[in-house]
């Protein structure tokens, strides 16, 4: 029974006739839009700073910004000089030269144990006598070791970087590397020079994500060219594809530039997702165009009808994908929210482009149909004939089996009480860089040698002049001692440590006295030295009203930060009871550690809320497109199967959820639903024409099946380009996404047809015919 063309589709055919007729005007408009789009795209900067991971309205982020307004914004790098004897004269001479070289780099302030000694003694010449004096000076107190400035076989050079943008950070890091290059080339008598710190991690991520396009996009375009040639065997069709893809990608990234956006570690997914989604949509449109009946003579009319026939399904699928990404806007993690909104906006631009520019290019380039050139996938005809009865035969294994695997995947993701814990979340940026890199290994080695690299700031705000009062100084020292007594805290550096250091270098010992008279004298010293001493200025504001204590730990996980937060608050309450003068101070916990904990906490809502919102809205899309309630539920099976089984693979391969892999659920659901929408649109088209389930399945597979197959190969192959990334999260995202798309296609051709047999309760036509014949004989 032939499929009847609905009135709405007939109206669309007239619209597409006009679009093709005005093809020259359309191509001129896009040619004018392309240059400014490219220019705006080139203005997009790169920044992987930790504080960019949360939205600016977030309370923790806002508190950090207020803290920086008082004590300045800066980042820290630690340069480690390893030696058999760090106090040997030749070692100290080399280290002194190294520090002097690095200190000349703009925006860098160096402060080592050697520089402290140099200021105290009025110079340092690294002679044997000076080296011996330095050793006695440094080892005479635990203060320098506690601050991580010296170790058994190590001298540390802490660097404060006055940077506010990714560009400034890159310039400073390059300056430090240039200053250290001669010493790294010829380190003797030093054994090694190592550089660690968040700025180096951020710089690594900035550089890799900035250059990622040079790796991913050529691979993807090569994939498109090869697949396009294999599928359509036409350079003209290839030209229409490539030009449309280029315009869609340029306009999307241009939109990011227009809105002042900044790319992060996950932002390379924006243009790649647009390219992949656009290519898949073009395959659906062009495959319908090339499949022309032998008796068709008017190719222009056929093109308009083919576009009209695919308009609803393609529009619904692009809308579903856009919704999948727009749902990420519920995330409080800034790059993920921006990614979702940018991709959603890009998909709107893509929808406009594929239904205007691409038809114009098809006509202008005179792309061939199957009449002129056979396309690939002729084997699919046999597959179309074989699949419906096969899926009917095995329906009671295929559908329950897929649901069982979905349940296993859900348990792998969310855990099972008392048996299996939920999948872990990873927000430590160090884990985002290659584990075989020198930076990763050096940082891990350092974490074992010192008190830790995680810094939590305890910000105290009081009245002007209070910090230098004797009771307050005593209370701050008691609070610091109480924190350091906790086994989970490595060390605490604050104003009293700075004052103890000053007392030590002046020969008065490294302990603060307890009596009011001596503490008042120390408070007077603080007031006198504060305008001149940078070390004090970094811990006390000019009005002597605010200060902070840097709590250094090895904590990296969210639960550890929660416990640390509780410990600090409990210790503060104890300190207030012991020294009531502290009750006048307002205490707030800020810094990178709380921010990192906040990000970790927000990853779970990002996964669950965005995924749930995507499911609801896509289900709403099916509600509008398909009238059958059972069909709407069946349409979700392949995507849910793909996502949940993918999480099982993720768990079994010991991968963790992170800022990139957390996106897979919404990405795959939004993208793979395209296949189910095209499948059900044509299935419903046939059912409305009165066809049986088997006939409808063959009609659907004949029109959309081959496009689903090749679109899935495009999606999987496109995302697989990310497997070549050096960054573990991006590499994992690419591999897992490709697996999920292939799993979705597997369910499209197995569980989905099997489920439809169960929903409509029909048998294959041959079985019905045989039973009818038997009944006729009985009569």
């Amino acid at each position: 029974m032939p499929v009847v063309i609905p009135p709405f589709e007939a109206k669309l055919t007239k619209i597409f006739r006009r679009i093709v007729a005005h093809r020259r005007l359309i191509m001129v408009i896009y040619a004018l839009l392309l240059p400014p789009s490219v220019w705006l795209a080139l203005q997009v900067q790169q920044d992987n700073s930790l504080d960019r991971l949360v939205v600016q309205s977030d309370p923790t982020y806002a508190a950090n910004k207020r803290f920086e307004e008082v004590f300045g914004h800066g980042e820290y790098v630690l340069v480690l000089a390893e030696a058999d004897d760090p106090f040997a004269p030749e070692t100290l001479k080399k280290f002194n030269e190294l520090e002097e070289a690095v200190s000349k780099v703009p925006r860098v302030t160096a402060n080592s144990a050697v520089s402290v000694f140099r200021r105290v003694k009025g110079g340092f010449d690294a002679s044997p006598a000076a080296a011996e004096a330095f050793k006695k000076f440094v080892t005479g107190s635990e203060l320098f070791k506690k601050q991580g400035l010296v170790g058994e076989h190590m001298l540390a050079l802490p660097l404060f970087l006055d940077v506010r943008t990714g560009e400034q950070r890159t310039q400073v890091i390059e300056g430090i590397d240039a200053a250290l290059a001669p010493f790294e080339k010829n380190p003797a008598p030093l054994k090694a020079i190592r550089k660690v710190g968040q700025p180096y991690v951020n710089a690594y991520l900035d550089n890799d994500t900035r250059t990622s396009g040079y790796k991913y996009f050529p691979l993807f375009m090569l994939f498109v060219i090869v697949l396009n040639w294999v599928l359509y065997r036409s350079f003209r069709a290839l030209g229409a594809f490539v030009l449309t893809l280029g315009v869609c990608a340029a306009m999307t990234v241009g939109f990011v530039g227009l809105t002042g956006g900044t790319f992060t570690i996950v932002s390379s997914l924006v243009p790649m997702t647009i390219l992949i989604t656009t290519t898949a949509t073009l395959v659906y449109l062009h495959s319908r165009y090339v499949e022309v009946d032998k008796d068709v003579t008017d190719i222009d009319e056929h093109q308009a009808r083919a576009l009209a026939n695919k308009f609803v399904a393609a529009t619904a699928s692009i809308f579903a994908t856009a919704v999948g990404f727009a749902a990420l806007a519920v995330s409080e993690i800034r790059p993920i929210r921006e990614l979702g909104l940018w991709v959603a906006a890009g998909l709107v631009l893509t929808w406009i482009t594929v239904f205007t520019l691409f038809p114009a290019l098809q006509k202008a380039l005179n792309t061939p149909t199957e009449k002129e050139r056979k396309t690939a996938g002729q084997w699919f005809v046999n597959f179309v004939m074989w699949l419906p009865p096969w899926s009917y035969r095995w329906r009671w294994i295929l559908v329950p089996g897929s649901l069982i695997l979905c349940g296993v995947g859900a348990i792998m993701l969310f855990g099972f009480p008392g048996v299996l814990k939920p999948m872990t979340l990873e927000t430590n940026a160090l884990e985002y860089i290659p584990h075989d890199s020198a930076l990763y290994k050096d940082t891990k080695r350092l974490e074992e040698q010192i008190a830790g690299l995680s810094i939590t700031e305890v910000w105290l705000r009081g009245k002007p002049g209070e910090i230098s009062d004797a009771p307050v100084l005593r209370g701050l020292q008691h609070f610091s001692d109480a924190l350091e007594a906790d086994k989970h805290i490595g060390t605490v550096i604050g104003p009293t440590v700075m004052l103890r250091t000053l007392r030590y270098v002046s020969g008065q010992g490294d302990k603060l006295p307890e009596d009011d008279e001596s503490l008042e004298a120390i408070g007077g010293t603080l007031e006198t030295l504060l305008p001149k001493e940078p070390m004090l200025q970094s811990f006390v504001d000019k009005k002597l009203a605010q200060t902070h204590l840097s709590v250094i730990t090895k904590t990296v996980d969210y639960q550890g930060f929660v416990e640390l937060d509780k410990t600090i608050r409990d210790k503060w309450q104890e300190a207030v009871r012991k020294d009531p003068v502290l009750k006048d101070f307002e205490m707030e916990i800020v810094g990178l550690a709380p921010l990192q904990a906040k990000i970790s906490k927000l990853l779970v809502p990002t996964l669950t809320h965005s995924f749930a919102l995507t499911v609801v809205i896509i289900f709403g899309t099916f509600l509008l497109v398909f009238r059958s309630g059972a069909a709407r539920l069946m349409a979700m099976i392949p995507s849910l199967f793909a996502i949940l089984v993918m999480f099982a693979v993720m768990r079994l391969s010991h991968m963790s959820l992170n800022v990139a892999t957390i996106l897979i659920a919404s990405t795959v659901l939004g993208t793979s639903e395209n296949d189910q929408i095209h499948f059900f649109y044509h299935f419903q088209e046939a059912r409305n024409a009165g066809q049986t389930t088997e006939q409808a399945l063959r009609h659907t597979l004949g029109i959309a099946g081959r496009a689903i197959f090749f679109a899935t190969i495009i999606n999987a192959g496109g995302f697989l380009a990310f497997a070549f990334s050096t960054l573990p999260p991006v590499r994992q995202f690419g591999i897992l996404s490709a697996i999920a798309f292939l799993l979705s296609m597997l369910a499209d051709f197995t569980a989905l047809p099997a489920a439809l047999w169960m929903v409509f309760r029909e048998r294959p036509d041959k079985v019905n015919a045989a039973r009818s014949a038997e009944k006729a004989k009985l009569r």
Side-chain angles (χ1 to χ4, degrees):
M1 186 178 295
V3 176
V4 179
I5 299 175
F8 177 68
E9 197 169 299
K11 293 179 180 178
L12 286 173
T13 301
K14 294 180 180 179
I15 294 173
F16 283 114
R17 284 198 207 104
R18 295 193 185 97
I19 289 174
V20 174
H22 293 87
R23 59 189 176 278
R24 292 183 180 85
L25 175 61
I26 290 171
M27 288 188 290
V28 168
I29 291 172
Y30 280 101
L32 293 173
L33 289 173
L34 188 58
S37 297
V38 172
W39 184 84
L40 287 169
L42 293 175
Q43 307 309 305
V44 179
Q45 300 297 312
Q46 194 79 36
D47 187 1
N48 286 288
S49 301
L50 182 63
D51 61 357
R52 280 196 57 80
L53 291 180
V54 292
V55 294
Q56 295 183 1
S57 59
D58 180 82
T60 307
Y61 177 86
N64 273 322
K65 286 303 176 184
R66 293 197 307 271
F67 177 81
E68 290 173 359
E69 289 174 2
V70 179
F71 297 104
H73 176 88
E75 299 180 359
Y76 294 91
V77 164
L78 204 55
V79 179
L80 306 175
E82 297 180 359
D84 292 328
D85 182 5
F87 301 112
E90 59 274 15
T91 300
L92 291 172
K93 180 181 179 181
K94 193 81 168 186
F95 183 84
N96 192 42
E97 293 171 354
L98 182 151
E99 182 174 357
E100 289 178 352
V102 174
S103 298
K104 295 177 182 177
V105 178
R107 296 182 177 274
V108 173
T109 302
N111 187 45
S112 69
V114 172
S115 60
V116 173
F117 182 80
R118 188 190 305 117
R119 288 199 300 271
V120 172
K121 302 299 181 181
F124 179 69
D125 60 7
S127 64
E132 185 61 32
F134 173 75
K135 180 178 181 180
K136 183 179 179 181
F137 172 77
V138 170
T139 57
S141 171
E142 287 293 315
L143 287 172
F144 298 102
K145 185 176 181 180
K146 187 184 339 187
Q147 295 177 57
L149 298 179
V150 295
E152 186 177 356
H153 298 288
M154 174 195 75
L155 289 172
L157 176 59
L159 303 177
F160 177 82
L161 280 53
D162 183 17
V163 296
R164 296 182 178 274
T165 66
E167 184 179 359
Q168 289 178 350
R169 182 193 306 115
T170 300
Q171 292 173 352
V172 171
I173 291 295
E174 289 175 351
I176 294 172
D177 288 341
L180 292 176
F183 300 94
E184 291 175 320
K185 186 176 181 181
N186 182 26
L190 301 175
K191 291 176 63 178
I193 297 173
R194 308 186 190 280
K195 301 163 292 189
V196 299
Q198 193 66 38
Y200 268 97
V201 175
N202 291 339
Y204 189 103
L205 294 174
D206 286 349
N207 181 66
D208 191 280
T209 49
R210 187 184 301 111
T211 59
S212 60
Y214 299 114
K215 294 180 288 186
Y216 308 146
F217 300 149
L219 284 172
F220 177 74
M221 292 311 298
L222 178 63
F223 181 76
V224 168
I225 291 170
V226 171
L227 185 64
N228 194 282
W229 177 256
V230 169
L231 183 56
Y232 302 116
R233 299 166 189 176
S234 166
F235 285 113
R236 286 173 284 168
L238 175 62
F241 268 67
V242 171
L243 289 172
T244 305
L245 288 171
V247 169
C248 289
M251 290 177 67
T252 298
V253 183
F255 172 79
V256 176
L258 182 65
T259 57
T262 300
F263 274 1
T264 61
I265 185 174
V266 297
S267 300
S268 56
L269 302 180
V270 175
M272 281 296 291
T273 301
I274 294 299
L275 288 172
I276 292 165
T277 306
T278 304
T279 305
T281 303
L282 295 181
V283 167
Y284 280 114
L285 297 183
H286 200 65
S287 294
R288 191 73 179 98
Y289 165 73
V290 298
E291 294 170 355
V292 57
D293 293 335
K294 294 181 180 180
D295 57 345
V296 172
T297 56
D298 189 346
I299 297 299
D300 290 348
E301 180 66 18
H302 165 73
Q303 180 190 14
R305 288 184 178 180
L307 290 166
N309 181 251
K310 298 303 294 183
F311 179 80
V312 173
T315 298
S317 65
I318 290 175
F319 172 75
T321 306
V323 164
F325 281 95
L328 295 173
V330 302
S331 174
E332 293 295 329
I333 300 177
R334 188 174 171 187
I336 294 179
R337 173 187 286 191
E338 292 174 341
L339 169 72
L341 296 175
W342 291 340
V343 172
L347 287 171
V348 173
L349 297 173
T350 294
W351 176 76
I352 297 171
T353 306
V354 297
F355 282 113
T356 52
L357 178 61
F358 185 66
L361 290 171
Q362 280 181 312
K363 177 61 178 176
L365 297 175
N366 192 24
T367 55
T369 64
E370 279 191 336
K371 274 189 171 184
E372 303 169 60
R373 195 162 300 169
K374 285 292 182 183
T375 59
Q378 299 301 313
W379 55 268
F380 208 83
V381 175
N382 295 328
F383 180 73
V384 168
M385 299 302 296
W386 169 82
L387 181 63
W390 178 87
S391 62
Y392 172 81
R393 181 180 180 183
W394 298 103
R395 65 193 184 282
W396 291 108
I397 293 178
L398 294 173
V399 176
S402 63
L403 294 176
I404 290 171
L405 288 174
C406 285
V408 171
I411 292 173
M412 289 290 190
L413 173 62
F414 299 109
F416 194 86
V419 179
L420 187 68
K421 293 181 179 179
M423 290 184 67
T424 58
L425 303 170
E426 182 59 71
T427 59
N428 186 359
L430 181 65
E431 299 299 329
Y432 295 170
I433 68 175
H435 291 188
D436 58 353
S437 65
L439 176 58
Y440 183 87
K441 293 178 180 178
D442 290 347
T443 304
K444 286 296 184 181
R445 185 184 295 112
L446 179 64
E447 286 178 345
E448 297 173 359
Q449 297 175 359
I450 64 174
L453 292 173
S454 177
I455 301 176
T456 301
E457 301 288 359
V458 182
W459 184 13
L460 302 175
R461 300 188 293 272
K463 299 174 182 177
E466 278 192 313
I467 300 297
S468 60
D469 290 346
V472 172
L473 290 175
R474 183 166 47 241
L476 291 176
Q477 183 59 49
H478 291 163
F479 179 44
S480 179
D481 292 340
L483 288 172
E484 286 191 334
D486 188 273
K487 63 180 181 180
H488 298 109
I489 294 176
T491 189
V492 178
I493 301 175
T496 56
V497 171
M498 298 296 104
L499 291 172
R500 289 168 60 192
T501 303
L502 291 173
R503 280 178 58 82
Y504 176 72
V505 299
S506 63
Q508 297 177 294
D510 63 358
K511 303 293 184 184
L512 286 185
E514 287 284 330
D515 62 285
D516 285 349
E517 184 179 350
S518 299
L519 285 173
E520 287 292 350
I522 293 173
T525 302
L526 172 60
E527 294 172 2
T528 303
L529 294 178
L530 184 59
K532 315 177 213 180
E533 183 55 60
M535 288 173 58
L536 289 174
Q537 292 171 8
S538 63
F539 282 93
V540 181
D541 76 318
K542 295 178 181 179
K543 295 182 179 180
L544 293 163
Q546 302 184 54
T547 186
H548 67 97
L549 283 71
S550 299
V551 180
I552 301 173
T553 68
K554 293 184 178 181
T555 305
V556 294
D557 62 298
Y558 172 66
Q559 189 57 41
F561 285 129
V562 171
E563 294 172 1
L564 177 62
D565 184 278
K566 183 178 183 303
T567 297
I568 293 173
R569 295 184 186 281
D570 290 344
K571 297 292 184 182
W572 174 249
Q573 293 301 322
E574 293 174 10
V576 170
R577 285 194 294 269
K578 185 175 182 179
D579 297 281
V581 69
L582 296 180
K583 69 180 180 182
D584 293 335
F585 286 83
E586 180 183 353
M587 191 274 286
E588 187 171 10
I589 299 173
V590 296
L592 293 182
L595 193 59
Q596 199 168 35
K598 185 70 174 277
I599 294 166
S600 179
K601 179 184 177 182
L602 293 174
L603 277 175
V604 175
T606 292
L607 171 65
T608 56
H609 294 174
S610 64
F611 183 74
L613 186 59
T614 303
V615 170
V616 169
I617 299 180
I618 289 179
F619 187 79
T621 303
F622 289 156
L623 185 65
L624 296 174
V625 177
F626 313 121
R627 296 179 181 178
S628 169
R632 297 174 208 141
L633 292 174
M634 293 301 103
M636 305 295 288
I637 288 179
S639 293
L640 293 177
F641 170 79
I643 292 167
L644 293 172
V645 174
M646 180 273 302
F647 278 121
V649 172
M650 196 173 171
R651 183 68 177 259
L652 294 173
S653 57
H654 305 289
M655 297 182 187
S656 62
L657 293 171
N658 53 52
V659 73
T661 57
I662 199 79
L663 301 172
I664 293 177
S666 294
T667 301
V668 172
L669 179 61
T671 307
S672 63
E673 280 303 317
N674 295 354
D675 299 338
Q676 285 89 65
I677 288 174
H678 284 276
F679 189 104
F680 269 92
Y681 180 80
H682 293 291
F683 182 83
Q684 181 176 270
E685 184 180 56
R687 292 290 293 181
N688 290 341
Q691 295 185 3
T692 65
T693 298
E694 182 174 359
Q695 291 170 337
L697 283 173
R698 289 204 169 109
H699 170 79
T700 301
L701 293 168
I703 293 178
R706 184 166 55 177
I708 288 174
F709 175 79
F710 284 106
T712 300
I713 297 301
I714 288 170
N715 286 334
F719 279 97
L720 198 59
F722 289 112
F724 293 92
S725 172
T726 59
L727 303 180
V730 178
R731 182 170 63 246
Q732 293 167 4
F733 176 86
I735 294 171
L736 292 170
S737 295
I739 291 173
F741 284 123
L742 293 175
L743 287 171
S744 177
M745 180 179 68
L746 178 65
D748 284 337
F749 292 140
T750 55
L752 185 53
L756 289 173
W757 283 115
M758 297 170 70
V759 169
F760 290 100
R761 299 180 181 181
E762 293 184 12
R763 296 183 177 88
D765 295 341
K766 287 185 178 180
V767 175
N768 288 332
R771 292 203 173 191
S772 298
E774 289 178 5
K775 288 181 180 179
K777 288 180 181 179
L778 291 174
R779 290 172 186 168

